[in-house]
Amino acid sequence: MEWINTFRKIGVSNPTRELADVAQEYQRKLELRRSSISAITLSASAKTAICAELACKSCRQPYNPPSVIRLSGESKKNFNRAQQTLEKMILGRRSGCSVKELSIRLGCSDVADMAEAVLERYRASLSESVADASRNSIDLSAPAFVGAALAVVCKLLKFKLDKRKLREETRCTVADLDKRCEVLLTVAGPVVAEGQKAKQTKRSHGYAFLDSVDDNDGTSPDRCLCSVPTLFPSRRDR
């Protein structure tokens, strides 16, 4: 019941037992690594808030990020630093964010593929201009880069994007996002143009096929459909 109440405090309207079990398991893992996190000064409520948030992410359960920070009782800066460290301990991975996952949260899933292409193009440009040591230190799966890629594509395509929600989901400042946006804009223009051209070409090919069917038969599409024999003829046809 304790976890159910915790989830309600962070904006989960109908928390399930499964969600609570995941959070409980994450808390158990933290307890096993107690010696590893001794250097991190966190209250019990902060650890609970982080475990609850990670459970929501793992189960793809919508929640309210600002409420998590309020529940933790920590400053935004301290919470974000601790959250990234504990996520790595609990899940055994670096804190990251997929383009598709974030695009769904922001309601702009239509531009996810182009945003991924922008990040890939930027990664390729880094391999040509940046030394290996510097390149390895740049994490393009970090929320700041993922959010910036979506923001840049939305800007170029003139799609509406909730900037406030973008900052909440990525937990990045306006300055951090603007910095990444400026970097990605250097490669985003051609990528978006190519994506738009590919869509138009695909659409025009579809029309060309329909036109060729009409021209070759000399009949309208409706007559073509009517000439196909049915599997279940009516009694009158019998």
Side-chain angles (χ1 to χ4, degrees), residues 88-103:
K88 184 178 179 180
M89 289 182 178
I90 294 173
L91 303 181
R93 71 179 187 215
R94 297 180 67 183
S95 178
C97 179
S98 73
V99 175
K100 290 190 181 299
E101 181 180 354
L102 184 58
S103 69

Side-chain angles (χ1 to χ4, degrees), residues 185-206:
L185 273 172
T186 59
V187 299
V191 172
V192 172
E194 291 167 9
Q196 288 291 86
K197 184 177 180 180
K199 284 186 177 181
Q200 292 174 358
T201 302
K202 184 177 180 180
R203 191 179 299 116
S204 64
H205 283 173

Side-chain angles (χ1 to χ4, degrees), residues 30 32 49 62 74 91 121 136 143 153 166 174 180 204 214 230:
L30 275 186
L32 292 176
E74 300 287 333
L91 303 181
R121 184 71 59 88
N136 292 335
V153 174
L166 173 63
V174 174
R180 269 76 175 183
S204 64
D214 187 33
T230 59

Side-chain angles (χ1 to χ4, degrees), residues 2 5-6 66 115 152 167 174 190 194 197 209 223 230:
E2 180 181 350
N5 291 333
T6 298
V152 165
R167 294 195 301 271
V174 174
E194 291 167 9
K197 184 177 180 180
F209 174 76
R223 289 191 61 188
T230 59

